[in-house]
Amino acid sequence: MSNFGRNLGYVMHSLRLCIFPIASALVAVVVLLGVPQGHETLRAIAAFAPHGQDDANEISRVVSFFFGYAAWGLANWYAARLLLAQEAPKERRTREAGAAPTETQFIERWRVWFPRVFPLLAMGLIAFEMPDDSERLPIAQVVAFASTAIVALFIGVRRFLLRMRGQPTDRFGRLPAGDRRTLVVALVLSFVLLFSLTFANVAIARLLGAPALLFFALSSITLFGAIVLVYLPISFDWPQIVWLPVVLALAWAQEDWNHNHRLSDRAGFGVSDPAPEERRPPVGAQFDLWLANHLKPRATDPKDLVVKDEGANDPIFLVAAEGGASRSGWWVAHVLGTADYATHGEFSRRVFAVSGISGGSLGAATWVALLAHGRGAAASASVSAPTFPGADDCATLVTGHKDWPMPMQSECFIGRDVLSTTIGYMLFPDLFQRFMPFRNTSWDRSRGLEVAWQKDWHELFGDDTFEHPFMDLYPPVAALPASAAAPGTASSGVRFDIPLLLLNSTRAGLGRPVLQAPVTIATSEADDLFTNWPQARGLALAAVVHNSARFPIISPGGEIVRGDPYPPAQGSPNRRVWDSLVDGGYFENSGSFALLQMLKDIEAGYEARAKTGAGADAATDWAGIRDRIRVVFITNDVPNAKGEKENCVDLKTCDAFPIHQEELLTPPIGLYETRSSRADASMRALLDFLHQSRSDAFTLAMDGSQVILQQPSMNWYLTPKSRRVMWNSFSDSRTAAVAIATKAAAAASAANAKGQAKSNPGPARNTAYEQMCKLLHATPGTRTTDPLPPKDARKDWCDTLTLFQTATATR
């Protein structure tokens, strides 16, 4: 019984010693296997094929993954072995004095085998759970098990290979020379990677890939922590100092010495416009300008300057783009680009504003930026059908193919890996910054997204749209060519031939929504980031998009600090922080709230004109305009395994799922679901304001049998297969729509044959194809001067969806 107590005590002691390698193993297993975003990166490794790469760095990422995988296992073993083989001075003195009890056989075996077994178990678990998306032999899984076996073999025969003296059970009081050299080399390589990812993040991070970066970071942290924070103090008879980095990080953060995420330190923040008046027009004035110019003016005679209003009854589209990282960004850009491609550009001409949240903001900004530069061909006989582009195809965008269908161009941009660049900053320079008592803005991990977007856009399209200020997308009307404005219309406003971008963020401290828009919106329910304070109109487009997508811990909150020349804070002079910006989805995730505030402001303008007599028919005009407004909701929903949407149509009658472990889970689940419910409430409020029901709107959610099986994760990196199955949503859901309609018709026919009343099969499931066709039919036909006659245009538009070449989803 006494031996049992000694053995158990030693086991607990060894676990405390090996806290870094044990934590390293747990973190990797949980992140890569338990987190959908981490598992998505493993899919890319598992789906690798020697030929037909979808990414120029695919081979290097696979090689780096297995190299990092082996290095991670060896680091965990090596650190644990050194810590358990070390004999502290106090232990040595006790042993030399003959007062130390003889070690049990269990302790001797535990000290040898525990460092060997637990890293191999962690490696084996990842290898066992390695996904197999190749639809061939599970090559990645075989290689992972082979790598594990090689590491195990090295551990077993290393003493023979290196001609080491002594026995595995021997202990040492001083680190052997060979181990010192190994540790020096490992730490030097870690710092080389640290500074490489600081100065060439995009290139290095994408070359290695996110999972390899995780392995390298965990290996570096394990070796540094185990040797510097545990081994060295014990060798001097000091207690472990594992707590020291934590205390230092908290102390520096408390004094605000290491906070490098300040948005107010960015270039373009605090830059005032040269004109004393507000550069941005009120949204009501911009709406009037857009109404007068949103249709192409046409006159029967070149001398006739009277513009015939052919679109008096045309719909006015507003788009609410839901958040969800790259998944929603890709889907939003794809849906908008597809609608514009299928309608020969008619759809975008009738979109007044797009409100984006998180990844939806990226998709919306991508679409508007493509429109601003005239990229993306409309469907016609001379334009080839959209096909899923590969890496080689996308590489030619900058030298040509400006007339490629817009969905192909947005895939080339949003389909790129921006997770690796973010992880590269987060686990290396930004993590190092946490323990430094100074601020270095170049180590800010939020640069991982912004710099990648800027470089990718420039590389693909040859301009610096994402690097230039957001407001450069919307120059004053006077800066546009004269042909862009209709004769006799107002000239005050900003560019009106592209939709307005409303990119939403949230103040973390107050929980209030924050609007970023090229127009001013009068509302007391949200803050305007571009007003006189904060003066953020000069921020780059990439930074403005990121403000809408700052979802800690991956993307840090952007802090805004008051100071000269900004107005002082109210109250105590020590309170200088205005607030920190986080993901717009923290307030509501649909994008409907901003559209509602915008419409309320526009309506108030019409009402004011009616009261003052400036527009006698203003109230009637607004009622007619309101009836024309149609909302397009682009959601991030994915059908569940049964092929059904999980969202309930009427929340009042919805049943919630049971909450197990309610003592622990009820508070966080309640907070999260309240956020989701607020998004639904905002959508309802927007439709109520328009006197419409949900059936009057268009709801575009990704769909199809492939999406159901693949389930793309909400991630800043999507595998080529995930993007392919999303690309196939319209064709897959078209098949489902036809099957549902055929089944309903057969049931009705059978009922008629039996002389029974027609059965009511219930509302048909609104597939992505059905909703897109509904949207295309609502878009007015082309004008008489265009190639296609109005009568045939709508049918051709819907049939255009069938021209999309189905992407092979085997990889």
Side-chain angles (χ1 to χ4, degrees), residues 48-53 811:
F48 170 75
H51 304 288
Q53 283 78 33
R811 295 190 62 245

Side-chain angles (χ1 to χ4, degrees), residues 48-231:
F48 170 75
H51 304 288
Q53 283 78 33
D54 289 283
D55 192 299
N57 296 318
E58 192 168 348
I59 295 178
S60 67
R61 282 204 297 260
V62 172
V63 173
S64 300
F65 171 83
F66 287 109
F67 183 79
Y69 173 73
W72 166 69
L74 288 172
N76 291 337
W77 158 74
Y78 194 74
R81 182 187 72 83
L82 289 182
L83 292 171
L84 295 188
Q86 179 191 29
E87 185 179 42
K90 183 178 180 180
E91 292 180 299
R92 185 177 66 253
R93 291 192 297 268
T94 303
R95 177 177 56 79
E96 292 174 350
T102 304
E103 288 187 337
T104 66
Q105 189 177 21
F106 172 84
I107 292 177
E108 290 183 348
R109 291 180 176 177
W110 176 270
R111 189 167 58 242
V112 174
W113 288 101
F114 174 72
R116 298 180 178 182
V117 172
F118 95 85
L120 295 176
L121 285 177
M123 294 181 69
L125 186 58
I126 291 178
F128 183 78
E129 294 293 333
M130 180 73 72
D132 178 24
D133 284 349
S134 63
E135 298 186 2
R136 296 181 296 273
L137 292 175
I139 299 175
Q141 193 171 53
V142 171
V143 175
F145 275 119
S147 301
T148 305
I150 292 173
V151 171
L153 181 64
F154 172 78
I155 292 173
V157 302
R158 68 179 181 86
R159 302 186 71 85
F160 173 76
L161 292 176
L162 300 178
R163 298 181 181 181
M164 299 177 64
R165 299 178 181 179
Q167 299 297 320
T169 56
D170 291 346
R171 304 183 68 186
F172 50 82
R174 185 179 179 186
L175 200 63
D179 289 326
R180 290 199 298 271
R181 288 193 293 270
T182 301
L183 289 172
V184 168
V185 171
L187 292 177
V188 168
L189 290 176
S190 298
F191 278 96
V192 168
L193 188 56
L194 166 67
F195 290 107
S196 298
L197 287 168
T198 302
F199 298 107
N201 178 275
V202 175
I204 300 298
R206 285 179 170 169
L207 188 71
L208 300 178
L213 288 169
L214 175 65
F215 284 137
F216 288 135
L218 291 175
S219 301
S220 302
I221 293 170
T222 297
L223 292 176
F224 179 84
I227 303 305
V228 176
L229 304 180
V230 179
Y231 182 91

